């Protein structure tokens, strides 16, 4: 792969002096210092000369960003025809395989990790901890397969797709149809700051208000402490998913201006009328009401089963058997989604500059080694392709991804071959570096509507200097 498609990694510190270069991005449809991209100009000189960039756009690392000129048709035409083929038998095999693993692991631990077979209490705690981790990983794989169903990538049959998806997601306390609908809106508006549904970054003004500052003060702030970053990450990983379902916490908050017209007076938050359980939520149209109710029914059935298990076999047992693995699934779901859409190299667009091709490429592929490929079903490794053609099944996605790289060229972003350690490091890096978005200082014309991550931690291009209002 060319160096523009996979930039050379260089350490970035608070006073960057490393060389970096031109690459990347775009189109419709506690660890070490952050690392990133190429360039032919030193970041320190770019940062100090930010006021002179004119109409140029600079990502967080100081690399020049250019909007690509390829089309969605070129992307689709580059993908071999057989990659679009969906097999119900193949997809069902993976569902039964993952369910069998979950059942087998439970059987082994339930029968052989007991006080009689493992007398040592600390040893049993350690072994059951391993159980929760393994079940959380495999459960995430089941989650991904239900996600395939929601995109109709599971099989050619919509009835089979929605039946399997509803069962699998309901077992994981996910409202299948409710999330399917809102997730579809995310795909239609990826990277659009006014319409996206997932990890919409804070604007400079919103971020400043949340930390009790004026927007013009951000370029002068001291760095956020690593402890504050760590606390934010822990809260995000523990509560991010239920908060999203209940309050739309990382989705857009422009409900009154959406085309379905059900958002008048509705705002994100606990009592703002925006959640994934209420048929009158502005996330849905009136015709979706029965599907939202069916999603809620799936949760009620699973909740009743869990209550029965807890009442008859003990609530502590239920916590270990299901509760903690469920939290692991939530953790991996949030981590995966966060890192698919949050990176110092990624742009975000105001509506004036957005289109589907640009937005779909405002995503990034990463790598999670064996687990990513064989347990998470490549959801991490082939996400850019997924935003261009979401009906391609995961078992054809690697080949299709290779095909579209030839069209995207330097605009394809990846952190391939970093493994699971690189994935976890990226969580820390993105949390430290990606605090809010703003246009490149001095940008003109359409460039004013292409925004990039900035931070108060002294990493990369500093926040623009703006006058007090």
């Amino acid at each position: 792969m060319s160096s523009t498609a996979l930039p050379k990694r260089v350490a970035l510190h608070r006073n960057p002096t490393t060389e970096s270069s031109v690459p990347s991005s775009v189109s419709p449809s506690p660890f070490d210092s952050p690392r990133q991209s190429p360039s032919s100009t030193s970041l320190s000189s770019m940062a100090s000369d930010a006021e002179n960039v004119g109409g140029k756009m600079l990502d967080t690392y100081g690399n020049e960003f250019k909007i690509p000129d390829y089309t969605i048709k070129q992307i689709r035409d580059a993908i071999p025809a057989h990659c679009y083929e969906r097999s119900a038998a193949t997809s069902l095999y993976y569902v039964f395989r993952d369910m069998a693993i979950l059942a087998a692991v439970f059987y082994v631990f339930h029968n052989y990790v007991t006080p009689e077979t493992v007398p040592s209490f600390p040893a049993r705690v350690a072994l059951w901890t391993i159980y929760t981790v393994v079940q959380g990983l495999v459960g995430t794989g089941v989650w991904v397969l239900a996600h395939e169903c929601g995109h109709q990538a599971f099989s050619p049959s919509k009835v089979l797709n929605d039946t399997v998806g509803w069962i699998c997601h309901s077992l994981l306390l996910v409202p299948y149809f409710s999330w399917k609908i809102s997730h579809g809106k995310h795909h239609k508006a990826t990277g659009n700051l006014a319409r996206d549904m997932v990890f919409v970054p804070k604007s400079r003004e919103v971020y400043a208000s949340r930390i009790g500052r004026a927007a013009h003060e951000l370029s002068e702030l001291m760095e956020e402490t690593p402890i504050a970053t760590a606390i934010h990450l822990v809260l995000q990983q523990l509560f991010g998913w239920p908060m999203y379902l209940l309050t739309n916490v990382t989705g857009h908050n422009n409900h009154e201006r959406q085309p379905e017209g059900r958002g008048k007076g509705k705002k994100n938050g606990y009592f703002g009328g925006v959640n994934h359980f209420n048929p009158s939520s502005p996330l849905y149209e009136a015709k979706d009401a029965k599907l939202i109710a069916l999603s809620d029914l799936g949760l009620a059935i699973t909740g009743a089963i869990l209550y029965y298990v807890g009442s008859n076999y003990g609530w502590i047992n239920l916590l270990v058997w299901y509760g903690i693995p469920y939290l692991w699934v939530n953790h991996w779901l949030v981590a995966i989604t966060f890192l698919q859409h949050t990176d110092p190299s990624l742009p975000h667009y105001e509506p004036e500059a957005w289109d589907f091709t640009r937005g779909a490429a405002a995503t990034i592929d990463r790598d999670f080694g064996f687990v990513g490929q064989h347990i998470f079903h490549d959801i991490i490794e082939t996400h850019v392709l997924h935003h261009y053609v979401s009906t391609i099944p995961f078992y054809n996605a690697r080949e299709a991804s290779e095909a579209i790289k030839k069209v995207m060229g330097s605009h394809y972003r990846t952190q391939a071959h970093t493994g699971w350690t690189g994935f976890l490091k990226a969580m820390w890096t993105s949390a430290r570096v990606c605090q809010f978005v703003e246009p490149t200082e001095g940008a003109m014309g359409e460039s004013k509507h292409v925004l990039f991550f900035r931070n108060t931690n002294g990493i990369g291009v500093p926040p623009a200097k703006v006058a007090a209002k």
Side-chain angles (χ1 to χ4, degrees):
M1 186 181 301
S2 67
S3 62
T4 54
L6 180 56
K8 199 189 314 180
R9 317 294 286 177
V10 293
L12 283 181
H13 303 284
R14 287 181 54 77
N15 297 306
T17 57
T18 335
E19 297 201 351
S20 346
S21 114
V22 167
S24 211
S25 200
V26 284
S27 225
S29 140
F31 296 113
D32 54 65
S33 303
R35 300 184 174 272
Q36 179 76 11
S37 276
S39 114
S40 56
T41 310
S42 85
L43 293 184
S44 56
S45 65
M46 282 187 172
S48 62
D49 293 338
E51 65 275 15
N52 297 321
V53 299
K56 289 184 178 179
M57 296 171 282
L58 302 180
D59 72 14
T60 311
Y61 293 116
N63 299 309
E64 184 178 352
F65 172 85
K66 290 184 182 293
I67 295 173
D69 57 1
Y70 60 84
T71 66
I72 186 63
K73 183 178 186 303
Q74 288 175 292
I75 291 285
R76 289 181 173 273
D77 288 349
I79 299 171
H82 64 265
C83 289
Y84 291 94
E85 296 174 3
R86 300 161 292 172
S87 167
T90 301
S91 297
L92 285 169
Y93 158 74
Y94 283 104
V95 171
F96 289 128
R97 186 203 73 169
D98 287 3
M99 292 293 191
I101 293 172
L102 289 171
V105 171
F106 177 79
Y107 177 85
V108 169
F109 276 79
H110 181 61
N111 287 282
Y112 299 106
V113 185
T114 65
E116 294 76 23
T117 55
V118 183
S120 169
F121 179 74
R124 290 201 308 278
V125 169
L127 289 170
W128 278 102
T129 298
I130 293 172
Y131 163 91
T132 66
V133 173
V134 172
Q135 297 293 74
L137 291 172
V138 181
T140 303
V142 173
W143 202 106
V144 172
L145 294 174
H147 165 259
E148 291 265 301
C149 293
H151 283 290
Q152 306 304 309
F154 189 83
S155 81
S157 168
K158 187 175 186 298
V159 172
L160 177 63
N161 295 341
D162 286 342
T163 300
V164 173
W166 180 77
I167 292 171
C168 290
H169 262 168
S170 296
L171 289 173
L172 295 169
L173 293 178
V174 178
Y176 171 72
F177 292 102
S178 309
W179 181 81
K180 170 187 171 181
I181 294 168
S182 70
H183 187 64
K185 293 184 177 184
H186 158 60
H187 271 257
K188 291 176 183 176
T190 305
N192 186 320
L193 288 166
R195 293 174 48 215
D196 201 354
M197 295 296 301
V198 171
F199 282 107
V200 178
K202 299 177 184 67
S203 66
R204 179 186 181 114
E205 291 74 15
V206 169
Y207 179 78
S209 68
R210 290 194 176 185
I211 62 173
R213 298 287 184 144
H216 71 273
E217 295 179 299
L218 291 190
S219 58
E220 303 163 2
L221 288 183
M222 298 295 288
E223 72 174 303
E224 178 182 73
T225 65
I227 291 177
T229 303
I231 290 172
H232 172 79
L233 265 180
V234 169
L235 292 175
Q236 172 183 287
Q237 296 310 118
L238 273 178
F239 304 112
W241 174 241
M243 286 289 287
Y244 177 67
L245 293 178
L246 286 166
T247 70
N248 199 43
V249 65
T250 66
H252 74 75
N253 201 17
N254 302 301
H255 304 289
E256 293 196 19
R257 297 193 289 275
Q258 299 309 305
E260 60 265 30
R262 290 160 53 86
K264 187 174 181 180
K266 306 276 181 74
K267 294 290 181 184
N268 295 346
Y270 286 110
F271 305 107
V274 184
N275 62 60
H276 283 74
F277 308 103
N278 186 348
S280 67
S281 170
L283 301 178
Y284 314 113
E285 299 179 45
K287 65 182 178 62
D288 299 323
K290 291 181 180 178
L291 295 176
I292 309 311
L294 184 56
S295 301
D296 294 345
L297 175 63
L299 302 186
I301 293 171
T302 300
I305 294 170
L306 294 175
Y307 180 81
Y308 174 83
V309 172
S311 300
N312 288 274
Y313 298 95
W315 297 104
I316 296 298
N317 282 336
L318 179 63
L319 176 67
V320 175
W321 294 345
Y322 182 93
I324 298 177
Y326 167 79
L327 292 178
W328 275 115
V329 171
N330 288 357
H331 156 72
W332 290 120
L333 169 62
V334 173
I336 290 166
T337 309
F338 174 61
L339 290 181
Q340 286 168 339
H341 300 280
T342 309
D343 186 81
S345 68
L346 296 179
H348 285 76
Y349 299 89
E350 293 180 329
E352 294 85 346
W354 181 90
D355 65 31
F356 178 80
T357 301
R358 296 176 182 183
T363 55
I364 186 169
D365 287 344
R366 300 187 188 273
D367 177 29
F368 207 68
F370 177 89
V371 169
Q373 182 173 2
H374 298 287
I375 299 179
F376 289 172
H377 306 300
D378 272 338
I379 196 171
I380 294 170
E381 289 78 2
T382 61
H383 194 67
V384 176
L385 165 81
H386 177 66
H387 269 276
Y388 278 118
V389 191
S390 58
T391 55
I392 290 179
F394 75 89
Y395 42 81
N396 293 335
R398 289 209 174 206
E399 181 180 356
S401 289
E402 289 300 319
I404 71 169
K405 290 176 189 177
K406 299 170 186 176
V407 177
M408 296 183 70
S410 63
H411 302 291
Y412 169 72
R413 289 187 197 76
T414 181
Q415 279 196 345
H417 316 304
T418 61
W420 65 272
T421 55
F423 183 87
L424 296 177
K425 284 182 179 180
M427 289 187 64
W428 181 255
T429 297
S430 292
R432 294 285 288 168
V433 178
C434 304
Q435 293 182 329
F436 59 92
V437 292
E438 66 179 6
T440 302
E441 190 168 7
M444 300 178 293
E446 186 180 48
S447 301
K448 293 188 300 184
H449 303 294
V450 184
L451 281 58
F452 299 90
F453 285 110
R454 300 291 186 253
N455 61 84
T456 61
N457 290 324
I459 302 169
V461 177
K465 291 182 171 60
V466 296
K469 295 182 179 179

